[in-house]
Structures are given as structure tokens and as C-alpha cells.
Amino acid sequence: MKKVLLTLLACLPVIFVNAQNCTADPAFQDSTGVFPLPYDPDVSPDGGIRECAVIGEEYNFTLTVGVGDSITVFGQRLALDAITIENVTGLPVGVNVIYEPANAIFPAGSIGCAKLTGIPTNDNDPGLYDLTISAIVSFENPLFPDFPVTFPDTSAASLAPGEYVIQVLADAGDDCMPVSTRNVLAEKVSLQANPNPSAGPLNIEINADIFGDFNMHVVDLLGQSVHREKVRINQGFNNFPFDGTHLANGLYFLVLENELGRVAQKITIQH
């Protein structure tokens, strides 16, 4: 017995070190998704992977995985069981992913993390490496089947049409430049939601230099559309009511789009 106890005690430092491999951001305790969000000039201009990797040097970047108690899917509020990350593809050679918890299963009502870590090898060409995170969402009710999700998601209704990109540099002295794209609509239309956070009811305020028909929708952090409608925008100030009392607590995105692009506003529902 004494030998067994000594063996277990010897393992404790290793377990402790592994538990500290990454630290989740507690700000996302009540939200469901991967944070920071993929970079998008409107939805998440501060998102994406902002740290460049250098060939031959250690690289570390941590993503927080938040899993709320429920999400709204196809108009129904469904209790979550867990989200399991299955894979991260597109990583530079030498960079891997470690998780906390280590099995990459994140139960409902929890946060964890995924750390991109390693030393990029000379097998990599300097440049941009697009990453895709594949996950499985499981529900508490066994009648609802598991379904796969990806981040970023390029579907039209997605909150995350942007990019997770690691820029690999040949030398630490090379310029590290964030990915950027041009969005014409963002130069012509501004979008605001008040109050924010909200218990549900809020006003959508739009100032526009143009007029026309727009698609307006609200998406959750899994990219699922929870509300969609067409709106007519006049030049100048516009105001539309929105009732989000049916939505679960958490972060959402209010998106306005047409052929010129899209603008978006984060909204938080707190009942």
C-alpha cells in the first residue's frame, strides 16, 4: 500500500502540470462556442488568432471553449449534454492541440480550453495556415441526435464566416500582419442594439447612408439562426423592435446583410 501511495504522489506533479497547460477565460462561462471567435471584420474584428508562429520557435495560443446549459435550435430551446472537439485541421507541422479537460469533452455548464502549442518545423513554408475546428454537439434529451459543427462555418446564416489563421514566419523579425478583408456595407450602415445586455426586448437602431431591402437575422454561437426576417431600410435613422425573451442566456449576433456585405452587433441575453 505504501508503495502504491508513493507512486500516486509521484504522479501528482505531472497531473498538476498537465492541468495547467491552458486556462479558460471565465468571461465565457454562460456562452456556447469557441473564443476568440474567428476573425471577421464586422462580426468579430477583435477575433481570430492574433499571434504569429515562427519556424523553429515555441508557439502557444489558447482558445476557450464555453458550453452553456442550453441552446436554441430551429426555434426550440434544447438542454445541452456536452460538446466534444474531434479535430483541428490545417495546423502547421510541429504544432499540436492539448485540451483541458484532456479528453476534449466539455460538459454543459462548463468552460475549458484548447491550446495550440509546439515548434513549427522547417517542413512548413512561411505563410497563412487556415484552421478548422470540428466538434460534436450532444443534447441531454436522447431523442435529439448528436450533430456536427465546425468553426469557422461558411454557411450564409453563420455567425462565423471569418477565419482562424496562423501566420507562420521564417524569422521573428518578419512582419506579423492580421488577416483583413473589405466590407463595403460596413462603410455605409451602422448597427446598434439597446439595451445590451437585455432580458429579451430590445430596439435595433440602424443609421444608413443607403436604402433598400435587407436580410436581418440573429444567430447563436453555433451558427444556428434563431430569428430571420426581411427589413426595409430607409436612408437615415431606422428603429426596429426585437423580442428575444424566447432565447437562452448567452451571446448572440444580430446580423444585417445584402449584396454589399454584412454588419453585425453582439447582443447578450440575460433573463
Side-chain angles (χ1 to χ4, degrees):
M1 177 63 71
K2 184 176 180 180
K3 184 177 181 181
V4 172
L5 290 174
L6 290 174
T7 301
L8 290 174
L9 288 172
C11 292
L12 284 178
V14 176
I15 295 171
F16 180 78
V17 169
N18 287 340
Q20 300 302 310
N21 278 338
C22 62
T23 302
D25 186 339
F28 301 108
Q29 179 70 52
D30 295 325
S31 299
T32 301
V34 179
F35 308 93
L37 295 170
Y39 169 79
D40 182 88
D42 302 304
V43 173
S44 50
D46 297 325
I49 299 173
R50 292 289 180 172
E51 297 178 15
C52 292
V54 179
I55 292 175
E57 297 188 11
E58 185 177 356
Y59 178 77
N60 294 291
F61 188 87
T62 297
L63 296 163
T64 292
V65 181
V67 185
D69 293 326
S70 62
I71 59 171
T72 301
V73 179
F74 305 122
Q76 297 185 66
R77 184 179 296 183
L78 303 178
L80 287 169
D81 178 54
I83 291 180
T84 303
I85 294 183
E86 292 199 312
N87 198 12
V88 179
T89 58
L91 288 165
V93 178
V95 177
N96 300 296
V97 188
I98 56 176
Y99 300 98
E100 179 60 40
N103 61 2
I105 300 176
F106 303 88
S110 72
I111 55 172
C113 50
K115 185 176 181 180
L116 312 180
T117 184
I119 299 176
T121 70
N122 288 322
D123 295 323
N124 298 288
D125 293 324
L128 302 178
Y129 289 73
D130 294 287
L131 309 187
T132 300
I133 301 170
S134 302
I136 297 293
V137 178
S138 303
F139 297 105
E140 188 177 273
N141 189 335
L143 296 178
F144 293 97
D146 298 348
F147 73 94
V149 294
T150 58
F151 293 83
D153 181 356
T154 57
S155 64
S158 174
L159 85 160
E163 299 169 291
Y164 281 131
V165 175
I166 295 179
Q167 183 179 1
V168 175
L169 307 177
D171 185 85
D174 295 341
D175 290 334
C176 179
M177 302 293 292
V179 176
S180 63
T181 58
R182 177 176 173 81
N183 187 338
V184 175
L185 189 63
E187 300 173 359
K188 299 181 180 296
V189 174
S190 64
L191 177 64
Q192 188 72 34
N194 290 299
N196 192 11
S198 171
L202 50 83
N203 291 316
I204 300 168
E205 301 172 357
I206 301 169
N207 278 296
D209 294 334
I210 58 176
F211 64 92
D213 294 322
F214 290 75
N215 293 315
M216 185 171 70
H217 54 268
V218 177
V219 294
D220 63 23
L221 293 183
L222 291 177
Q224 302 294 315
S225 179
V226 297
H227 176 83
R228 180 182 292 273
E229 64 178 293
K230 289 188 178 294
V231 295
R232 178 74 177 180
I233 302 298
N234 297 315
Q235 193 168 9
F237 180 77
N238 301 260
N239 186 34
F240 300 95
F242 174 74
D243 185 1
T245 54
H246 64 289
L247 300 178
N249 288 343
L251 290 175
Y252 296 85
F253 285 88
L254 174 68
V255 180
L256 188 73
E257 62 184 359
N258 68 0
E259 66 278 1
L260 296 178
R262 50 191 262 152
V263 292
Q265 169 70 44
K266 292 180 184 179
I267 58 175
T268 302
I269 300 296
Q270 292 180 350
H271 298 298

